[in-house]
Coordinates of all heavy atoms in Angstrom, one line a residue:
E135 N -32.0 23.2 -33.6 CA -31.9 24.7 -33.5 C -32.5 25.1 -32.2 O -32.0 26.0 -31.5 CB -32.6 25.4 -34.7 CG -31.8 25.3 -36.0 CD -30.3 25.7 -35.8 OE1 -30.1 26.8 -35.2 OE2 -29.4 24.9 -36.2
V136 N -33.6 24.5 -31.8 CA -34.2 24.9 -30.5 C -33.3 24.5 -29.3 O -33.2 25.2 -28.4 CB -35.6 24.2 -30.4 CG1 -36.2 24.4 -29.0 CG2 -36.6 24.8 -31.4
T137 N -32.8 23.3 -29.4 CA -31.8 22.9 -28.4 C -30.6 23.8 -28.3 O -30.1 24.1 -27.2 CB -31.4 21.4 -28.6 OG1 -32.6 20.6 -28.7 CG2 -30.6 20.9 -27.4
R138 N -30.1 24.2 -29.5 CA -29.0 25.1 -29.5 C -29.2 26.4 -28.8 O -28.3 26.9 -28.1 CB -28.6 25.3 -31.0 CG -27.2 26.0 -31.1 CD -27.0 26.6 -32.5 NE -27.1 25.6 -33.5 CZ -26.1 24.8 -33.9 NH1 -24.9 24.9 -33.3 NH2 -26.3 23.9 -34.9
G139 N -30.4 26.9 -28.9 CA -30.8 28.1 -28.2 C -30.6 28.0 -26.7 O -30.1 28.9 -26.0
F140 N -30.8 26.8 -26.2 CA -30.7 26.5 -24.8 C -29.2 26.3 -24.4 O -28.7 26.9 -23.5 CB -31.5 25.3 -24.4 CG -31.4 24.8 -23.0 CD1 -31.2 25.7 -21.9 CD2 -31.6 23.5 -22.6 CE1 -31.2 25.3 -20.6 CE2 -31.6 23.0 -21.3 CZ -31.4 24.0 -20.3
T141 N -28.5 25.4 -25.2 CA -27.2 25.0 -24.9 C -26.2 26.2 -25.1 O -25.2 26.3 -24.4 CB -26.7 23.8 -25.7 OG1 -26.8 24.1 -27.1 CG2 -27.6 22.6 -25.4
D142 N -26.5 27.1 -26.0 CA -25.6 28.3 -26.2 C -25.6 29.1 -24.9 O -24.6 29.6 -24.5 CB -26.1 29.1 -27.3 CG -25.6 28.6 -28.7 OD1 -24.9 27.6 -28.7 OD2 -26.1 29.1 -29.7
Q143 N -26.8 29.2 -24.3 CA -26.9 30.0 -23.0 C -26.2 29.3 -21.9 O -25.6 29.9 -21.0 CB -28.3 30.3 -22.7 CG -29.0 31.2 -23.7 CD -30.5 31.5 -23.3 OE1 -30.7 32.3 -22.3 NE2 -31.4 30.9 -24.0
L144 N -26.3 27.9 -21.9 CA -25.5 27.2 -20.9 C -24.0 27.4 -21.0 O -23.3 27.6 -20.0 CB -25.9 25.7 -21.0 CG -27.3 25.3 -20.6 CD1 -27.5 23.8 -20.9 CD2 -27.5 25.5 -19.1
H145 N -23.6 27.4 -22.2 CA -22.1 27.7 -22.5 C -21.8 29.1 -21.9 O -20.7 29.3 -21.3 CB -21.8 27.6 -23.9 CG -21.6 26.1 -24.4 ND1 -20.7 25.3 -23.9 CD2 -22.3 25.4 -25.4 CE1 -20.7 24.1 -24.5 NE2 -21.7 24.2 -25.4
Q146 N -22.6 30.0 -22.2 CA -22.3 31.4 -21.8 C -22.3 31.5 -20.3 O -21.5 32.3 -19.7 CB -23.4 32.4 -22.3 CG -23.4 32.6 -23.8 CD -24.6 33.3 -24.3 OE1 -25.4 33.9 -23.6 NE2 -24.7 33.4 -25.7
K147 N -23.1 30.7 -19.6 CA -23.1 30.7 -18.1 C -22.1 29.8 -17.5 O -21.9 29.8 -16.3 CB -24.5 30.3 -17.6 CG -25.6 31.3 -17.8 CD -26.9 30.8 -17.3 CE -28.0 31.8 -17.1 NZ -27.9 32.5 -15.8
G148 N -21.4 29.0 -18.4 CA -20.4 28.1 -17.9 C -21.0 26.9 -17.2 O -20.4 26.3 -16.3
I149 N -22.2 26.5 -17.6 CA -22.9 25.4 -17.0 C -22.7 24.2 -17.8 O -23.2 24.2 -19.0 CB -24.4 25.7 -16.8 CG1 -24.6 26.9 -15.9 CG2 -25.1 24.4 -16.2 CD1 -26.0 27.3 -15.8
P150 N -22.0 23.1 -17.4 CA -21.8 21.9 -18.2 C -23.1 21.2 -18.4 O -24.0 21.2 -17.5 CB -20.8 21.1 -17.5 CG -20.9 21.6 -16.1 CD -21.3 23.0 -16.1
F151 N -23.2 20.5 -19.6 CA -24.5 19.7 -19.8 C -24.1 18.4 -20.5 O -23.1 18.3 -21.2 CB -25.5 20.5 -20.6 CG -25.0 20.9 -22.0 CD1 -25.3 20.1 -23.1 CD2 -24.3 22.1 -22.2 CE1 -24.8 20.4 -24.4 CE2 -23.9 22.4 -23.5 CZ -24.2 21.6 -24.6
I152 N -25.0 17.5 -20.4 CA -24.9 16.2 -21.0 C -26.1 16.0 -21.9 O -27.2 16.3 -21.5 CB -24.8 15.0 -19.9 CG1 -23.5 15.2 -19.1 CG2 -24.9 13.7 -20.6 CD1 -23.4 14.2 -18.0
L153 N -25.9 15.4 -23.1 CA -27.0 15.0 -24.0 C -27.3 13.6 -23.7 O -26.4 12.7 -23.7 CB -26.6 15.3 -25.4 CG -26.4 16.7 -25.9 CD1 -26.1 16.8 -27.4 CD2 -27.6 17.6 -25.5
L154 N -28.6 13.3 -23.7 CA -29.1 12.0 -23.4 C -30.0 11.6 -24.6 O -30.8 12.4 -25.0 CB -29.9 12.0 -22.1 CG -30.7 10.7 -21.7 CD1 -29.7 9.5 -21.6 CD2 -31.4 10.9 -20.5
D155 N -29.8 10.4 -25.1 CA -30.7 9.8 -26.1 C -30.3 10.2 -27.5 O -30.2 9.3 -28.4 CB -32.2 10.2 -25.8 CG -33.2 9.4 -26.7 OD1 -33.1 8.2 -26.7 OD2 -33.9 10.1 -27.4
S156 N -30.2 11.5 -27.8 CA -29.8 11.9 -29.1 C -28.5 12.7 -29.1 O -28.4 13.6 -28.3 CB -30.9 12.8 -29.7 OG -32.1 12.0 -29.9
Y157 N -27.6 12.3 -30.0 CA -26.2 12.9 -30.0 C -26.2 14.0 -31.0 O -26.5 13.8 -32.2 CB -25.2 11.9 -30.3 CG -23.8 12.4 -30.2 CD1 -23.4 13.3 -29.2 CD2 -22.8 11.9 -31.0 CE1 -22.1 13.8 -29.1 CE2 -21.4 12.3 -30.9 CZ -21.1 13.3 -29.9 OH -19.8 13.7 -29.8
M158 N -25.9 15.2 -30.6 CA -25.7 16.4 -31.4 C -24.4 17.0 -31.1 O -24.3 18.0 -30.3 CB -26.9 17.4 -31.2 CG -28.3 16.9 -31.5 SD -29.6 18.1 -31.1 CE -31.0 17.2 -31.6
P159 N -23.3 16.5 -31.8 CA -22.0 17.0 -31.4 C -21.7 18.5 -31.6 O -20.9 19.1 -30.9 CB -21.1 16.1 -32.3 CG -21.9 15.6 -33.4 CD -23.3 15.5 -32.8
D160 N -22.5 19.1 -32.6 CA -22.3 20.5 -32.8 C -22.6 21.4 -31.6 O -22.2 22.5 -31.5 CB -23.2 21.0 -33.9 CG -22.7 20.4 -35.3 OD1 -21.6 19.9 -35.3 OD2 -23.5 20.6 -36.3
L161 N -23.4 20.8 -30.6 CA -23.8 21.6 -29.4 C -22.7 21.6 -28.4 O -22.8 22.2 -27.4 CB -25.1 21.0 -28.8 CG -26.3 21.0 -29.8 CD1 -27.5 20.5 -29.1 CD2 -26.5 22.4 -30.4
R162 N -21.6 20.8 -28.6 CA -20.4 20.7 -27.7 C -20.8 20.3 -26.3 O -20.5 21.1 -25.3 CB -19.7 22.0 -27.7 CG -19.1 22.4 -29.1 CD -18.5 23.8 -29.1 NE -19.4 24.8 -29.0 CZ -19.4 25.8 -28.1 NH1 -18.4 25.8 -27.2 NH2 -20.3 26.7 -28.0
P163 N -21.5 19.2 -26.1 CA -21.8 18.8 -24.7 C -20.6 18.3 -24.0 O -19.5 17.9 -24.6 CB -22.8 17.6 -25.0 CG -22.3 17.0 -26.2 CD -21.9 18.2 -27.1
L164 N -20.7 18.3 -22.6 CA -19.6 17.7 -21.8 C -19.5 16.2 -22.2 O -18.4 15.6 -22.2 CB -20.0 17.8 -20.3 CG -19.1 17.1 -19.3 CD1 -17.7 17.6 -19.3 CD2 -19.8 17.1 -18.0
S165 N -20.7 15.5 -22.4 CA -20.7 14.1 -22.6 C -22.0 13.7 -23.3 O -23.0 14.5 -23.3 CB -20.5 13.3 -21.3 OG -20.3 12.0 -21.5
F166 N -22.1 12.5 -23.8 CA -23.3 12.0 -24.3 C -23.5 10.5 -23.9 O -22.5 9.8 -23.8 CB -23.3 12.0 -25.9 CG -24.3 11.1 -26.5 CD1 -25.6 11.4 -26.6 CD2 -23.9 9.9 -27.1 CE1 -26.5 10.6 -27.2 CE2 -24.8 9.0 -27.7 CZ -26.1 9.4 -27.7

Side-chain angles (χ1 to χ4, degrees):
E135 288 310 310
V136 170
T137 307
R138 190 195 303 276
F140 181 29
T141 58
D142 281 352
Q143 294 182 74
L144 290 174
H145 281 300
Q146 290 171 11
K147 284 175 165 279
I149 300 173
F151 64 90
I152 293 174
L153 293 182
L154 171 63
D155 189 57
S156 297
Y157 187 33
M158 299 177 177
D160 290 351
L161 302 183
R162 296 175 291 127
L164 170 71
S165 188
F166 162 75

